[in-house]
Amino acid sequence: MTDAAFPHRHLLGIQGLHPPDIQHLLDLADGHVDQCRGADKASDAMAGRTVINLFFENSTRTRTSFELAAKRQGAEVINMQVSTSSVAKGETLIDTAVTLNAMHPDVLVVRHPESGAAKLLAEKVNCAVVNGGDGGHEHPTQALLDALTIRRRKGRLDGLRVAICGDVLHSRVARSNIHLLTTMGTQVRLIGPRTLVPRSFEAMGVEVFTNMREGLTDCDIVMMLRLQTERMRGNFIPSVREYFRFYGLDRDKLSRARPDALIMHPGPMNRGVEIDSDVADDFERSVIREQVEMGVAVRMAVLRLLAGNLDHTRRNQPFAGAGGV
Amino acid sequence: MALDVPGRVAYANARLLDPATGLDAMGGLLTEGEHIVHLAPGLFADGTPVGARVVDCGGACLAPGLVDIRTQLREPGQEHKESFKSAGRAAAAGGVTSMVGLPNTNPVIDDEAAVEFVARRARLIGLAKVFTYAAATKGLEGRELAEIGLLHQAGAVAFTDGVKAIADAQVMRRLLAYAASHDLLVIQHPQEPSLATGVMNSGETATRLGLGGIPREAEIIMLERDMRLVAMTGGRYHAAHISTEDSVEIIRKAKAAGLPVTCDTAPFYFALNELEVGDYRTFAKLSPPLRSESDRQAIVDGLADGTIDVIASDHCPQDQDTKRLPFNLAEFGGIGLETLLPVTLRLVHEGRLPLLKALDRITRAPADLLGLEAGRLRTGAPADLVIFDPEAPWKVVGDTMRSKSKNSPFDGHLVQGKVIRTVVDGRTVFPEGAG
């Protein structure tokens, strides 16, 4: 049966989700936090299910998080790390998808360096697809775990002021967070140089600041992004040294935010590039480790929901990958 | 292979449309052999000539066959995507009787032998007539001028680096100056490559999808630069597939200043906008990219006031291997031979252009631009004709297209205007087997 509170077959992005969808996911995930903190973490909610982690990009933390989330609910997990060094990345994607589909997995978690790859893959399979990050497009479970972290700490999402700082242009995390937070009534500010935060973001219902001190003023949450030098072609910033001077989070800039402002980072951090170690390791303010914990809970909720939704759709579906490859 | 020479054919009961003379009247047209020998309003009202085969047009439109000045035919080198034959069939089905191919084949058309190869191969097929451009620079590399004088003598109708811009200002300057001394036409793909590193129009949609943008300025800057070089050298210049509001304005001003400048656009740019990309639809990945709605409207205005001289299909066949990919990795381009007429007629149905003016952009204007003996209903002219019903509705279905590649950006769209018969040099080439 499709869960009426989450009537979706895949989780390809936050865009398109409504506030009740998001509430429901966060409520479920909240329950899993307690489960994971207890001595007996295991359940059999997903017994007999197969989850495949299909990763076309290197990732340890996201893959591990999905793997744990599936295993704690009794699912079988296969990890596939596909090399992206081959020229025809996309061809590999579709070929791999069609092959895996024939093995009847229940959920495919996919990470890929190109925007739109999860959507393309979802068209070729008849299992549920979770987007584990596609290029510069979306990373929905990251936004959900960020939201859960905020909600547990601040008790709500609406009415808060969140600053997302740094390399927004190349960040799927930023896009998913913008969609989620604006959907839930949170004020969102983007902070960075125009090369990394183009004006076109203003159409997404956010405020854009080029001056970090101004942008951080009275914020409840400071979300730092990793500078993604591997995705940059050309000159986006003159140097890391200069970037840190103007957009690195240090005590001085942080002092402009609210005194109880929390610091978040999706990891992995570049200390001394976008964040000062001193701030990153501040127990009072930094919730970076908590984010990792929430990640497992959120992914447990997502996997269970989608696997549950699958039953009644899949039987009637023809083999989706058969034609038009 | 010798083709049969057709005898006399009387096209009766037709709505004759000739943009060159403004003729729009019920009448008839007589062909003998490969040529038009007579046409007039009211002709055959009292009966058709004895001995002539009669084609009753049933009141449908009879116009000069379409002249499509921007196609990629993929032969030689990429026959798995398209060939002279498959493109010829697609053209015939689309009412196109003459088409001009870009030189970006493999090998590149930058020597006389290659030009002659195209002419010879295409003639044997006997569908739509095939003309070719030749490279403006050797190997399309944008560094040294190709032998454009000799290539012209071999039959190349104009010079372009195809889907690559002639980016180096000094090369473009010399090319225009040298072309001017032989009165040759240079065709530019106006896009500054250093700005065009993305995959779709810059803006809100690209930002949301996480795709790299190609700013409008990439086209605008190149056109502005080129206008200066045209003024400096006096070379004849044609801008291909313009896509932005500012581009129309730049060409408008250049024409007003008396510069020898013309331009075209493709149906994509007056019928579609960037929203067509939707959820990463690679069939909508085009070069230049689909732009904003206000740009699209400005292109329509440019066609209406004559700033944009020509509509060309920009037919660019891509197979599954190059389109069924994540958007970023897919190739640019869409096919267009079979949809050139109906999508152009949309301008008429929407009341933006009168029928004769819309037809002018795909018949007389492109033929005159390249000096082709085509695009007119005139006694003595080659009998290249299209008979069509401008109202008939149909749905574009990529998989049923005659082109070897099915990448139509109009896939699934409803259009109006159906080709009933296409005639090349007096012979019916569509429908197939109609004789």
Side-chain angles (χ1 to χ4, degrees):
Chain A
M1 279 293 290
T2 299
D3 190 323
F6 192 79
H8 302 280
R9 176 152 171 212
H10 308 294
L11 181 66
L12 302 178
I14 298 294
Q15 199 192 16
L17 294 187
H18 299 291
D21 300 330
I22 294 167
Q23 291 286 9
H24 183 60
L25 269 171
L26 295 180
D27 292 346
L28 270 182
D30 227 343
H32 289 303
V33 176
D34 298 330
Q35 181 190 337
C36 291
R37 284 182 180 174
D40 187 11
K41 299 175 176 61
S43 81
D44 58 1
M46 291 184 69
R49 302 300 195 142
T50 306
V51 175
I52 299 182
N53 285 326
L54 178 58
F55 277 56
F56 293 84
E57 264 184 352
N58 289 326
S59 157
T60 314
R61 55 180 72 209
T62 305
R63 186 185 51 71
T64 310
S65 181
F66 271 108
E67 186 175 353
L68 264 179
K71 283 185 170 162
R72 281 189 182 161
Q73 302 183 91
E76 297 262 17
V77 183
I78 307 287
N79 291 314
M80 285 192 63
Q81 181 78 46
V82 184
S83 163
T84 49
S85 57
S86 66
V87 183
K89 287 174 195 166
E91 207 178 352
T92 312
L93 172 70
I94 288 182
D95 289 348
T96 313
V98 172
T99 307
L100 292 180
N101 189 59
M103 301 179 195
H104 300 295
D106 296 279
V107 186
L108 258 178
V109 178
V110 64
R111 166 167 288 197
H112 198 279
E114 297 297 347
S115 301
K119 167 82 165 63
L120 185 59
L121 186 131
E123 289 167 2
K124 296 284 157 204
V125 297
N126 44 21
C127 60
V129 175
V130 178
N131 182 1
D134 63 327
H137 178 224
E138 283 227 44
H139 189 359
T141 56
Q142 178 71 40
L144 287 164
L145 74 88
D146 288 342
L148 184 61
T149 309
I150 297 170
R151 203 179 75 165
R152 285 173 64 95
R153 282 292 188 125
K154 298 285 183 188
R156 64 196 166 105
L157 292 170
D158 60 299
L160 295 177
R161 185 175 287 155
V162 175
I164 303 176
C165 312
D167 187 0
V168 177
L169 179 66
H170 299 97
S171 175
R172 52 200 178 206
V173 173
R175 282 176 184 75
S176 286
N177 266 309
I178 292 167
H179 289 308
L180 190 149
L181 294 169
T182 54
T183 303
M184 300 308 283
T186 314
Q187 270 190 53
V188 179
R189 292 177 170 184
L190 305 181
I191 302 172
R194 281 260 182 253
T195 46
L196 297 177
V197 191
R199 283 184 207 172
S200 48
F201 276 95
E202 283 168 8
M204 294 175 85
V206 299
E207 280 183 283
V208 175
F209 290 80
T210 50
N211 181 306
M212 193 167 186
R213 283 183 176 80
E214 284 173 23
L216 287 182
T217 303
D218 294 331
C219 281
D220 298 285
I221 308 287
V222 182
M223 224 178 243
M224 299 306 298
L225 298 172
R226 191 169 63 85
L227 197 61
Q228 300 198 50
T229 43
E230 74 278 11
R231 287 192 204 281
M232 291 186 187
R233 281 184 298 171
N235 299 302
F236 287 89
I237 52 164
S239 73
V240 164
R241 195 169 75 104
E242 177 163 331
Y243 182 78
F244 185 70
R245 175 78 59 85
F246 291 100
Y247 298 103
L249 185 67
D250 54 23
R251 287 266 168 228
D252 175 52
K253 295 189 193 93
L254 182 61
S255 69
R256 305 297 290 265
R258 289 175 59 96
D260 59 348
L262 302 176
I263 300 160
M264 304 177 76
H265 193 298
M269 279 184 281
N270 299 310
R271 290 165 193 268
V273 177
E274 70 258 349
I275 193 163
D276 202 341
S277 278
D278 177 34
V279 177
D281 300 330
D282 182 344
F283 272 105
E284 303 266 304
R285 313 289 292 273
S286 167
V287 292
I288 295 169
R289 267 171 265 179
E290 205 169 309
Q291 287 173 273
V292 177
E293 183 189 358
M294 295 306 128
V296 178
V298 156
R299 286 163 185 136
M300 287 173 79
V302 168
L303 291 175
R304 202 180 98 189
L305 264 182
L306 293 183
N309 281 355
L310 202 57
D311 280 3
H312 88 136
T313 48
R314 69 184 315 189
R315 289 195 189 98
N316 304 324
Q317 294 285 331
F319 177 52
V325 177
Chain B
M1 182 178 73
L3 294 160
D4 294 339
V5 178
R8 296 203 323 157
V9 185
Y11 297 88
N13 194 18
R15 179 179 171 191
L16 300 173
L17 293 166
D18 182 32
T21 57
L23 172 68
D24 180 356
M26 291 306 295
L29 181 146
L30 183 69
T31 67
E32 182 164 353
E34 298 183 346
H35 295 92
I36 298 171
V37 292
H38 192 30
L39 77 144
L43 188 66
F44 310 138
D46 305 324
T48 48
V50 179
R53 205 160 62 77
V54 178
V55 173
D56 184 350
C57 299
C61 297
L62 192 163
L66 275 47
V67 179
D68 187 349
I69 62 162
R70 194 173 176 89
T71 64
Q72 296 181 56
L73 305 177
R74 301 285 185 237
E75 185 173 347
Q78 288 197 295
E79 288 87 349
H80 59 290
K81 291 184 178 177
E82 195 75 289
S83 65
F84 291 136
K85 196 160 196 173
S86 62
R89 285 204 191 99
V96 175
T97 54
S98 295
M99 53 185 175
V100 190
L102 296 183
N104 60 336
T105 46
N106 183 14
V108 167
I109 299 175
D110 64 356
D111 64 28
E112 295 156 276
V115 173
E116 281 157 11
F117 165 83
V118 173
R120 191 175 63 252
R121 281 276 300 147
R123 194 167 49 236
L124 288 175
I125 289 164
L127 293 163
K129 295 171 184 171
V130 176
F131 299 89
T132 190
Y133 297 117
T137 67
K138 284 177 188 151
L140 306 175
E141 284 171 358
R143 290 196 290 269
E144 297 171 61
L145 299 194
E147 296 169 326
I148 63 175
L150 294 174
L151 287 163
H152 176 64
Q153 288 186 341
V157 295
F159 301 88
T160 177
D161 277 357
V163 299
K164 288 166 80 176
I166 298 156
D168 186 296
Q170 181 72 294
V171 170
M172 186 52 131
R173 174 193 170 192
R174 298 253 157 80
L175 176 64
L176 284 166
Y178 187 78
S181 37
H182 293 280
D183 193 29
L184 303 177
L185 178 68
V186 173
I187 298 181
Q188 172 75 305
H189 168 64
Q191 183 164 274
E192 168 53 47
S194 63
L195 281 174
T197 53
V199 292
M200 72 169 292
N201 190 35
S202 289
E204 190 187 336
T205 310
T207 300
R208 185 172 53 75
L209 293 174
L211 294 172
I214 301 174
R216 304 163 69 259
E217 286 73 10
E219 179 169 312
I220 296 163
I221 286 170
M222 187 60 91
L223 280 174
E224 283 179 334
R225 181 204 78 172
D226 285 350
M227 292 309 106
R228 301 277 173 187
L229 296 174
V230 170
M232 185 181 177
T233 59
R236 281 204 291 139
Y237 175 97
H238 178 87
H241 48 214
I242 64 167
S243 67
T244 81
E245 184 174 359
D246 299 66
S247 310
V248 177
E249 193 49 41
I250 290 164
I251 300 289
R252 195 176 279 138
K253 276 192 187 143
K255 285 182 167 182
L259 296 181
V261 168
T262 51
C263 70
D264 70 69
T265 194
F268 316 135
Y269 306 109
F270 63 77
L272 305 174
N273 65 29
E274 62 186 332
L275 296 179
E276 208 64 32
V277 172
D279 262 340
Y280 304 99
R281 257 187 86 224
T282 57
F283 281 10
K285 180 175 177 179
L286 305 172
S287 174
L290 292 171
R291 303 288 187 186
S292 69
E293 176 59 15
S294 62
D295 285 317
R296 185 193 72 80
Q297 287 176 12
I299 296 295
V300 174
D301 293 342
L303 282 163
D305 73 11
T307 302
I308 302 176
D309 306 88
V310 170
I311 299 170
S313 75
D314 214 357
H315 183 77
C316 177
Q318 297 289 0
D319 61 2
Q320 303 268 5
D321 285 352
T322 51
K323 279 292 192 184
R324 294 298 294 171
L325 293 173
F327 200 88
N328 207 28
L329 303 176
E331 289 283 354
F332 289 96
I335 56 170
L337 279 167
E338 285 172 78
T339 48
L340 176 60
L341 179 64
V343 181
T344 298
L345 288 175
R346 185 180 292 187
L347 297 165
V348 179
H349 295 308
E350 288 172 355
R352 299 304 309 272
L353 263 75
L355 179 58
L356 276 177
K357 208 167 184 180
L359 286 175
D360 183 69
R361 308 280 184 266
I362 48 178
T363 56
R364 183 212 58 86
D368 285 2
L369 176 70
L370 300 178
L372 305 180
E373 203 190 351
R376 285 180 158 79
L377 296 185
R378 189 175 55 193
T379 302
D384 294 347
L385 311 169
V386 60
I387 301 168
F388 65 96
D389 174 350
E391 308 293 335
W394 57 286
K395 185 177 178 179
V396 179
V397 179
D399 287 342
T400 64
M401 311 226 89
R402 284 164 182 78
S403 183
K404 252 187 213 179
S405 298
K406 313 299 180 190
N407 56 307
S408 171
F410 297 107
D411 190 18
H413 285 237
L414 296 171
V415 293
Q416 261 184 291
K418 211 167 191 172
V419 173
I420 297 168
R421 181 184 285 259
T422 305
V423 178
V424 173
D425 282 340
R427 286 172 295 106
T428 294
V429 294
F430 177 85
E432 287 99 347

